[in-house]
Amino acid sequence: MTESQAAERDTSPAPLARDLRSLGDRDLPSRTDTIGAALAGTIGGPVGRHALIGRTRFMTPLRVMMIIALVFLALGYSTKAACLQTTGTGTADQRVGNWENQRAYYELCYSDTVPLYTAELLNLGKFPYKSSWVETGGDGKPQTTYDGDPAVRYMEYPVLTGIYQYLSMTLAKTYTALTKLVAVPVIAEVVMFFNIAAFGLALAWLATLWATAMLAGSRRIWDAALVGACPIVIFQIFTNFDALATACTAGAMLAWARRRPVLAGALIGLGVAAKLYPLLLLIPLVLLAIRTGRVRAVGQTALAALATWLVVNLPVLLLFPRGWSEFFRLNTRRGDDMDSIYNVVKSFTGWRGFDPDLGFWQPPTVLNTVTASLFLVCCLGIGYVALTAARRPRVGQLAFLVVAAFLLTNKVWSPQFSLWLVPLAVLALPHRRILLAWMTIDMLVWVPRMLYLFGEQNKGLPEQAFTATVLLRDIAVVVLCALVIRQIYRPELDLVRAGGVVDDPAGGVFDRAPDAPPGWLRARLWPRDGVRAGPAREPDPAGV
C-alpha cells in the first residue's frame, strides 16, 4: 500500500469536529433513569459504556427532542380535531366549525381560539382595540354594568397577542379569498384561523424547547426532553396563545445565561406584551443581584424590558387607549376562576367567597387584595430563602418558585397557564419521574373540567369531581416547590450542581460570583455560612 493510499484510508469521510473530546460527564438517561432505560430498550438498549458521547453528527439530542416534541404537538392538534370539522354550505367565511350540542366539552376539544374569532369581531376583519361590542346576556339582550353603564367590551389580550390574532385572521381571510379564485379545499374560515394560529404556537413551543435545552447545557441537555414530551402539551398547547410568552421567557433566560442582559430585557418586554407573567422573571434576578452585588446587569435588563414593552404598546395606547386598557380592566373585575384554590374551597365548604353579591362587572376588591397580599408574602418568603441559603440558589430554581407562587395564590389559573411552569420546572428540578407525575396530574385536570362544563344533567360530572383534581394539582405543585427549596438548602442533592462541580449554568453574571450582600441588608438575611463564592469552573461547552 502506498503512502497516499494509507492517508486516504485514514481520512474521515466528513470533516472532523472542531472539538474531538468525548463529553464523558453528560447525563445519560438510558443508564441513569428508569424511564429512560425502559424507553431505550425499544431502540436497541442503553448507550454503550465506551461510546463517544457528543460526537453524533445528525441525530443530536436536540434534534431527537425536536422530533419528540413534534409528536406531542401532533397529539395536541389531534385533541382539538373534533372541533375543527367544517360544517355548513357556501363560501369559507359562511361555514363554521362543528360545535353543536356542546361538542367541545364531551369531545374534550375546546379551544379559546375558535369562539374568540367571532366574539372579538375578528371574523368581521375588525382591528383589535379599535372595535368594541356590548356584552349580551343569555337572553341575547345587551347588559349593563353594576353602575348602570353599557357593558362595552374590547379585545381582552395584551397587544402582542392581539396583533398575533389579527395577523392570523388576515391570513385566514386571504385563504378564503383564494378559495373563490382557484380550486382548493373550502375550509371554514374560523378553522383556518385556528390552523394558522396553531402553526405559530407550535413553532413557539419548539423555540421554548430549544432555549431550555441550551439552558440545561451540554452536560444535562436531556433534561429538556420533558419540555418536548410534556403531557400538558397534549391538551393545552392550542387552547390559548400562551406558547408565545413561554418562548419569550425561555429566550430571555437564555440571553441572561449568555450574559446579554439587554437582549434578555428585550425578550422579557416582548413576553409581557404577550402575557403578563414574564415580568415575574425580574424578581429572582433582583434577589440574586442583592446577594451578589451584580445590580448593573439587572438594571440593564429591567430598562430594556420597559423600553421594549413601551415600543410595542405605545402605538396602540396612543391610538386606542380605551381598547388598550381592556386587559387591565378585565383582570381587575374578574372573580375567582373555576380552577383557582378559592373556588376549590367554595366547592367543598359552601363558602360564598370574599366578595359575595357583587353586581355585574363589579371588581372583587377584597379578593384582589387577598391574592396580591398572599403573593407578596410568598415573594418575601422566597426572598428570605434566596438571601439566607448557604449556597446561592440557581436562577431557574427561584424563577420556578416565583411563578408557582403566583399561580397558586392567583384568582385565575386557566388550564393553559400550566405551560408556564414546564420549562422552569425542568430547569429547577430535573427529576424526570417526579416531573412526569406532576405533568400527568395537571394534564388530567382537563377531563373532569370539560365534563363538568358539559353539565351533570347531560351525564357529565359534578363540580366536586373537578375541583378535587384541581386540589390534587395544586398539592403536586406545592410538593415540587418543597423539593426545590430542599435542594436549595441541601445543594449536594441538586443534580444540576453535580455535587459542587457546577454552580449555575443559567446564572449569567451570577454564575460563580461571590456573595457580596450590601451593607444596608440586615445580618440575619446574610448567607448562613457567611460570604461564600461559587466554585470555579470552566465555561460550559454549550456556551451557557
Side-chain angles (χ1 to χ4, degrees):
M1 179 182 296
T2 65
E3 187 175 324
S4 61
Q5 289 175 326
E8 185 178 350
R9 180 199 63 184
D10 296 334
T11 300
S12 171
L16 295 177
R18 188 175 304 173
D19 185 354
L20 299 179
R21 295 174 298 173
S22 176
L23 196 63
D25 63 342
R26 173 182 281 174
D27 175 54
L28 304 174
S30 63
R31 288 196 173 276
T32 60
D33 184 78
T34 303
I35 296 176
L39 294 175
T42 64
I43 54 173
V47 64
R49 294 188 182 277
H50 302 288
L52 289 177
I53 306 301
R55 299 270 56 86
T56 303
R57 291 185 177 275
F58 182 71
M59 293 300 288
T60 62
L62 180 59
R63 288 174 181 169
V64 171
M65 288 187 286
M66 287 287 183
I67 293 172
I68 294 172
L70 289 174
V71 172
F72 275 74
L73 289 169
L75 291 173
Y77 186 87
S78 71
T79 63
K80 307 301 183 186
C83 289
L84 302 178
Q85 298 178 19
T86 296
T87 185
T89 58
T91 58
D93 52 349
Q94 295 172 332
R95 302 187 185 192
V96 295
N98 185 1
W99 279 44
E100 296 178 353
N101 302 318
Q102 296 185 302
R103 179 189 186 92
Y105 298 137
Y106 67 79
E107 293 275 12
L108 311 179
C109 60
Y110 177 84
S111 171
D112 289 333
T113 311
V114 175
L116 284 175
Y117 190 68
T118 302
E120 298 191 332
L121 307 184
L122 292 167
N123 63 315
L124 301 179
K126 299 293 185 72
F127 183 75
Y129 314 107
K130 178 182 179 181
S131 56
S132 64
W133 65 95
V134 177
E135 194 84 351
T136 57
D139 55 1
K141 295 181 179 179
Q143 293 188 289
T144 55
T145 64
Y146 68 98
D147 54 4
D149 293 331
V152 179
R153 288 286 311 276
Y154 289 82
M155 165 70 74
E156 66 185 57
Y157 289 92
V159 169
L160 198 61
T161 301
I163 297 301
Y164 181 78
Q165 294 179 62
Y166 182 75
L167 293 176
S168 299
M169 174 270 290
T170 302
L171 293 174
K173 286 191 173 296
T174 301
Y175 183 84
T176 296
L178 187 65
T179 62
K180 299 175 182 178
L181 299 176
V182 296
V184 294
V186 178
I187 301 172
E189 189 172 279
V190 64
V191 173
M192 184 54 65
F193 169 75
F194 175 91
N195 291 337
I196 293 169
F199 180 76
L201 294 172
L203 293 179
W205 191 250
L206 292 176
T208 303
L209 168 60
W210 170 79
T212 307
M214 296 299 100
L215 284 164
S218 54
R219 192 180 66 83
R220 295 200 60 89
I221 191 169
W222 285 108
D223 288 344
L226 274 185
V227 177
C230 177
I232 301 173
V233 168
I234 296 174
F235 283 130
Q236 304 306 338
I237 188 63
F238 302 129
T239 297
N240 207 284
F241 304 96
D242 293 67
L244 301 176
T246 66
C248 292
T249 303
M253 293 183 69
L254 179 59
W256 177 265
R258 291 181 171 177
R259 307 195 179 203
R260 301 180 65 181
V262 174
L263 177 59
L267 289 170
I268 289 175
L270 288 175
V272 175
K275 211 78 174 182
L276 192 60
Y277 97 92
L279 184 64
L280 300 176
L281 278 184
L282 293 178
I283 296 176
L285 295 184
V286 168
L287 291 173
L288 293 175
I290 293 173
R291 176 160 175 160
T292 62
R294 306 296 176 94
V295 177
R296 181 179 178 183
V298 176
Q300 292 174 332
T301 298
L303 289 175
L306 177 61
T308 304
W309 182 85
L310 283 174
V311 167
V312 174
N313 281 266
L314 206 55
V316 177
L317 171 60
L318 294 177
L319 292 173
F320 315 111
R322 178 65 174 79
W324 175 85
S325 61
E326 178 74 359
F327 167 74
F328 302 98
R329 260 193 318 277
L330 174 68
N331 283 279
T332 300
R333 67 188 181 223
R334 289 182 73 168
D336 46 71
D337 193 65
M338 60 188 297
D339 297 79
S340 69
I341 188 62
Y342 311 101
N343 185 59
V344 171
V345 175
K346 288 163 65 175
S347 171
F348 285 103
T349 65
W351 175 54
R352 298 182 63 202
F354 290 109
D355 302 90
D357 304 320
L358 291 177
F360 186 62
W361 283 8
Q362 186 173 358
T365 306
V366 177
L367 176 63
N368 290 341
T369 303
V370 168
T371 57
S373 300
L374 287 176
F375 179 57
L376 177 60
V377 169
C378 289
C379 287
L380 291 175
I382 294 169
Y384 180 82
V385 171
L387 296 175
T388 63
R391 178 102 178 253
R392 185 186 64 255
R394 294 185 289 108
V395 171
Q397 291 173 322
L398 294 182
F400 173 79
L401 291 176
V402 170
V403 176
F406 177 79
L407 289 174
L408 288 167
T409 60
N410 196 28
K411 62 182 180 179
V412 178
W413 186 334
S414 297
Q416 69 276 4
F417 288 3
S418 296
L419 292 171
W420 305 354
L421 288 174
V422 172
L424 300 178
V426 164
L427 296 171
L429 190 73
H431 292 262
R432 297 179 185 92
R433 282 172 288 175
I434 295 174
L435 292 183
L436 190 59
W438 156 64
M439 291 174 180
T440 303
I441 292 170
D442 203 307
M443 174 193 72
L444 292 177
V445 172
W446 184 251
V447 178
R449 188 183 203 270
M450 291 293 99
L451 294 179
Y452 164 60
L453 290 173
F454 185 51
E456 194 173 355
Q457 71 280 5
N458 297 322
K459 298 183 180 180
L461 291 176
E463 180 184 21
Q464 291 184 351
F466 159 62
T467 51
T469 59
V470 172
L471 181 60
L472 184 61
R473 177 204 62 192
D474 290 352
I475 292 173
V477 174
V478 170
V479 169
L480 293 183
C481 292
L483 290 174
V484 171
I485 293 172
R486 178 172 179 260
Q487 292 194 3
I488 288 175
Y489 282 109
R490 297 185 61 186
E492 69 275 8
L493 302 177
D494 189 348
L495 295 178
V496 173
R497 284 186 156 149
V501 177
V502 180
D503 185 24
D504 186 0
V509 297
F510 303 136
D511 186 30
R512 302 182 301 279
D515 290 325
W520 53 262
L521 194 67
R522 290 180 178 272
R524 71 183 64 172
L525 295 179
W526 283 24
R528 286 294 178 229
D529 290 351
V531 179
R532 292 180 56 178
R537 178 177 178 265
E538 292 299 317
D540 191 285
V544 299

